[in-house]
Structure formats: structure tokens, C-alpha cells
């Protein structure tokens, strides 16, 4: 049975900060029963909000003031900032200059509207509206990034991919013959080089991004089916085996199992980590294919051939270097074609991995094992709070 950290009652469930950190390091903070926006999200976001608040107060007046008048506006901004902080603290029953131990609606309202109010005082309503709108966007993005622990989630997805690099390599090796047959035909096709030559960079980015996006959309549509049943366990002995290194106590075998369904936020958190982990694999395959064709093309497709295929007198050279006493030219067309093929390969790999049953099992196996462990810890944690 896993060891249990010191627990104290709070809100009907045990409070265990070590367990909260355990979930957070795995990019699954919402599986911790005591995770709250005011203490778990906005308090972490508070330093960023204060910095944005501070910057906005001093950029709202732009270059309309200079000299001593500008110094006066800066001092007024400092006073305004201090007055807002003191006012919020007093309304919340804290000391005037105390740091907030939780961030609630009052603090968030101050962040959104106070800089806008200062902008209205020293500027106009258009500038004030722009500041308020920007703050709402910043708050929304910050809520997602900090709330769902996107930083730890991306790190964990990378760790999972590295730890299972052998499985990923086998999966890619099984797809590689089809990928190479499909991509080699495109790479040695003159029409593809003409398209790459004629594409404006913005349109090229949209098309390549769309191909990768379609592949990721296939993964996103499949993920809800993969999460079904992950939170159900046959016995506490099974949960105990999965919770071996987690700071949580597992109920004894005699205790009845009570499967508590995942809340919407928990389900989304699990699905998001699954998506990020699989997106890592698809993008890694895309980058690998792209790098391969960059190297392959530098050795096989000469500048004269590119000029003939693109019907131009001179390819759009990015740089040149010498390899084995021969000049090698790096062209925009070369990189563009390699990028196209990488995007097509990512789409092909994603579709193959999700439509072929044997591919699909390998594609999701290691990540669902990680999810299974985290959900077992959740089940033990919830049981310990009853």
C-alpha cells in the first residue's frame, strides 16, 4: 500500500499538498479533489497579473506627456496602483499591504477594470476599452495555461514520448514504408516544386497548418472513446498496485468500491493530456520526415533541376555551403517541398494510427497506462475523504 502524507480535513475531502503537486507534475491538476480556481489557479497567476497591471498603468498615456508632466503621470499611476491594492485588501478583510492568500472575483475585477479606469482618466474611452478587452483575453489565456498546468503537461508528454521511444520507433517503422512510398512520389514530382515556388509564404503556412490541424483533429475526435472506462477498477488491490509511488492511502480490500464518475473538468483534463501526448508523436514524425527530405534533397536535387522544375532562371537561394568539395544550394522551394511532405506525412500517420486497430492500440497504450495510474490515485484520494 502506498504511504500517506499528512492529511487534514478541508471541504469534506482530505487536503494533501504533496498529492496536489503529484497530480500537477503529471499535467492533471483537476484530478485533485481540493483543486480550486481561487487557490490553485489564480494565486499562481497572480504575479503575472500584477506585472501586467503595473505595465498597463504606465503605458496607457503613451507619448502624450513629456518631461515633468510625464513624471507626474508616473507618480499618479503608482498612487493609483497602491490605492487599488489597499482598497481590495481592506474590502477582503486583509491588512492594507498584505499579499493575497487567494484571488477571488474582487481581485480579478480590479485587474480587468482598474487599468482601464486609469486609461480613461489620462486618455479616452477607446483606449480604456482596449485595455479592458486585453485584460479579459490575458485572464482567459492565463486561466487555461495555469489552470490545466500546460507547462508541466507538455513536459510530461515529452517525458512519456522519450520513455517509450522504442514503442514510438516501432510504430513509425510499421508506417514508414507507406509514408516513404507516398512521400517520395511527391518529392520527385515537378508539379510539387512549381506549387512550392508559386506559394506566398502566408498561404503556404495556412495550407501546411491546415494539414497538420486535420491530423490532430482526428486524434481529438478519437480521444473521448479512449477515456471511456479508464476510471473504473475491479478492486482496491488493483488500485493499490497502481498507486505504489503516490502520496495517498489506499482503502483495504474489504472496503466496497464506489466508482465516482469523472466531472466535466476532470474529463477534459484527462483528454487534454492524451491529446498533447499524441500530438507530440505526430509532430515528431512530421519533423523527422521533413528533416530527412531536407537532407535527401540537398544531395539529390541540384539547383539546375530546381530551376527546370520551377521554370525559373534561378532558384530562390537561401544559402550555400560546400560538401565534399561540391557546392550545395539551400533554396526556399526545397524547404517548402520538405515542409509539405512533412505535413502530408503527419496526416497520413495520424489516420493510420487511428483507423488500424493494431496501430491504435500501440498508439494509445503507454499514455493510457499513465492515465490509468493517475485515475487510480484519484479513486484512492476520493475514498480517503469519505
Amino acid at each position: 500500500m502506498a504511504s500517506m502524507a499528512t492529511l487534514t480535513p478541508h471541504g469534506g475531502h482530505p487536503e494533501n499538498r504533496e498529492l496536489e503537486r503529484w497530480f500537477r507534475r503529471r499535467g492533471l491538476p483537476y484530478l485533485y479533489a481540493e483543486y480550486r480556481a481561487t487557490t490553485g489557479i489564480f494565486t499562481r497567476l497572480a504575479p503575472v497579473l500584477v506585472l501586467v497591471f503595473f505595465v498597463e498603468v504606465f503605458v496607457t498615456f503613451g507619448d502624450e506627456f513629456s518631461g515633468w508632466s510625464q513624471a507626474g503621470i508616473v507618480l499618479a499611476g503608482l498612487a493609483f496602483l497602491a490605492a487599488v491594492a489597499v482598497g481590495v485588501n481592506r474590502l477582503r478583510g486583509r491588512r492594507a499591504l498584505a499579499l493575497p492568500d487567494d484571488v477571488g472575483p474582487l481581485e480579478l475585477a480590479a485587474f480587468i477594470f482598474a487599468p482601464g479606469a486609469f486609461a480613461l482618466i489620462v486618455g479616452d474611452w477607446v483606449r480604456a476599452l482596449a485595455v479592458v478587452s486585453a485584460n479579459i483575453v490575458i485572464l482567459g489565456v492565463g486561466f487555461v495555461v495555469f489552470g490545466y498546468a500546460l507547462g508541466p503537461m507538455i513536459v510530461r508528454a515529452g517525458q512519456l514520448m522519450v520513455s517509450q521511444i522504442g514503442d514510438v520507433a516501432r510504430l513509425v517503422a510499421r508506417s514508414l514504408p507507406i509514408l516513404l512510398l507516398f512521400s517520395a512520389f511527391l518529392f520527385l514530382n515537378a508539379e510539387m516544386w512549381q506549387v512550392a515556388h508559386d506559394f506566398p509564404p502566408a498561404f503556404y503556412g495556412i495550407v501546411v497548418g491546415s494539414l497538420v490541424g486535420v491530423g490532430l483533429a482526428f486524434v481529438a475526435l478519437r480521444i473521448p472513446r479512449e477515456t471511456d472506462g479508464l476510471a473504473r477498477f475491479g478492486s482496491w488491490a488493483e488500485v493499490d498496485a497502481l498507486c505504489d509511488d503516490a502520496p495517498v492511502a489506499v482503502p483495504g480490500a474489504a472496503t466496497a468500491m464506489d466508482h465516482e464518475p469523472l466531472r466535466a473538468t476532470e474529463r477534459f483534463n484527462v483528454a487534454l493530456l492524451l491529446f498533447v501526448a499524441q500530438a507530440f508523436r505526430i509532430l515528431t514524425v512530421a519533423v523527422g520526415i521533413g528533416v530527412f527530405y531536407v537532407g535527401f534533397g540537398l544531395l539529390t536535387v541540384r539547383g539546375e533541376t530546381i530551376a527546370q522544375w520551377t521554370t525559373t532562371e534561378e532558384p530562390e537561394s537561401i544559402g550555400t555551403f560546400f560538401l565534399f568539395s561540391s557546392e550545395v544550394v539551400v533554396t526556399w522551394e526545397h524547404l517548402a517541398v520538405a515542409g509539405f511532405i512533412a505535413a502530408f506525412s503527419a496526416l497520413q500517420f495520424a489516420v493510420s494510427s487511428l483507423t488500424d486497430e493494431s496501430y491504435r492500440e500501440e498508439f494509445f497504450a503507454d499514455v493510457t497506462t499513465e492515465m490509468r495510474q493517475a485515475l487510480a490515485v484519484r479513486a484512492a484520494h476520493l475514498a480517503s475523504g469519505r
Side-chain angles (χ1 to χ4, degrees):
M1 183 180 296
S3 62
M4 185 174 180
T6 304
L7 299 177
T8 56
H10 181 70
H13 291 280
E15 184 176 13
N16 184 345
R17 293 305 177 193
E18 186 180 354
L19 181 59
E20 181 184 9
R21 289 191 293 271
W22 189 91
F23 279 123
R24 193 170 186 84
R25 284 196 300 269
R26 285 158 176 76
L28 294 165
Y30 276 96
L31 295 191
Y32 179 61
E34 288 297 290
Y35 194 60
R36 298 292 181 269
T38 55
T39 56
I41 302 175
F42 293 128
T43 50
R44 290 185 172 90
L45 185 57
V48 177
L49 300 184
V50 170
L51 178 61
V52 172
F53 186 105
F54 187 84
V55 170
E56 286 181 341
V57 166
F58 297 110
V59 301
T60 50
F61 51 83
D63 56 357
E64 297 176 8
F65 302 89
S66 60
W68 287 107
S69 60
Q70 190 174 58
I73 290 295
V74 170
L75 292 175
L78 283 172
F80 182 81
L81 184 66
V84 170
V86 169
V88 169
N89 276 340
R90 298 309 297 170
L91 288 173
R92 291 292 301 273
R94 293 189 291 255
R95 290 182 291 106
L97 299 179
L99 295 175
D101 52 357
D102 66 277
V103 178
L106 190 59
E107 288 84 359
L108 296 179
F111 167 74
I112 293 173
F113 296 108
F118 187 74
L120 186 61
I121 293 170
V122 301
D124 52 49
W125 69 270
V126 174
R127 189 178 301 173
L129 183 61
V131 170
V132 170
S133 301
N135 285 347
I136 293 173
V137 172
I138 291 170
L139 194 61
V141 172
F143 179 86
V144 173
V145 171
F146 284 82
Y148 286 93
L150 289 190
M153 183 181 292
I154 291 171
V155 171
R156 188 61 178 172
Q159 291 173 340
L160 284 172
M161 190 181 69
V162 171
S163 66
Q164 301 292 332
I165 194 68
D167 294 336
V168 176
R170 286 194 297 273
L171 187 60
V172 173
R174 292 175 61 186
S175 302
L176 197 57
I178 297 175
L179 287 176
L180 288 179
L181 180 64
F182 167 76
S183 58
F185 173 77
L186 289 177
F187 188 77
L188 298 176
N189 190 304
E191 283 77 10
M192 176 61 74
W193 290 77
Q194 291 173 5
V195 169
H197 174 75
D198 295 335
F199 247 131
F203 288 3
Y204 175 81
I206 292 172
V207 171
V208 169
S210 298
L211 291 173
V212 175
V214 169
L216 296 178
F218 273 102
V219 175
L221 291 173
R222 180 73 195 195
I223 280 175
R225 295 180 58 184
E226 299 300 325
T227 59
D228 292 343
L230 286 179
R232 300 187 65 83
F233 302 92
S235 67
W236 285 117
E238 182 184 358
V239 172
D240 192 18
L242 291 169
C243 294
D244 187 53
D245 64 342
V248 66
V250 180
T255 306
M257 293 285 299
D258 185 9
H259 297 286
E260 186 163 337
L262 293 174
R263 292 172 293 143
T265 52
E266 293 174 317
R267 185 177 294 276
F268 180 76
N269 199 174
V270 170
L272 185 60
L273 179 55
L274 278 171
F275 175 79
V276 170
Q278 306 309 348
F280 254 75
R281 293 185 173 190
I282 292 172
L283 295 177
T284 299
V285 170
V287 170
I289 295 290
V291 169
F292 170 78
Y293 275 107
V294 168
F296 180 70
L298 288 175
L299 298 176
T300 57
V301 183
R302 314 303 300 166
E304 296 80 2
T305 305
I306 297 175
Q308 182 180 2
W309 282 353
T310 58
T311 64
T312 57
E313 296 182 1
E314 184 93 22
E316 191 174 338
S317 174
I318 297 175
T320 60
F321 63 95
F322 285 87
L323 182 65
F324 302 121
S325 301
S326 298
E327 185 182 38
V328 178
V329 179
V330 182
T331 65
W332 154 250
E333 291 84 0
H334 186 180
L335 298 181
V337 171
F340 258 132
I341 292 176
F344 276 118
S345 299
L347 178 58
Q348 172 70 23
F349 178 71
V351 173
S352 298
S353 300
L354 298 174
T355 55
D356 186 287
E357 191 64 25
S358 59
Y359 278 53
R360 187 194 61 77
E361 289 179 2
E362 278 191 64
F363 191 64
F364 282 103
D366 56 327
V367 185
T368 52
T369 299
E370 172 88 359
M371 295 297 104
R372 187 82 170 157
Q373 180 191 27
L375 290 168
V377 174
R378 168 190 177 269
H381 173 48
L382 291 176
S384 66
R386 296 191 182 101

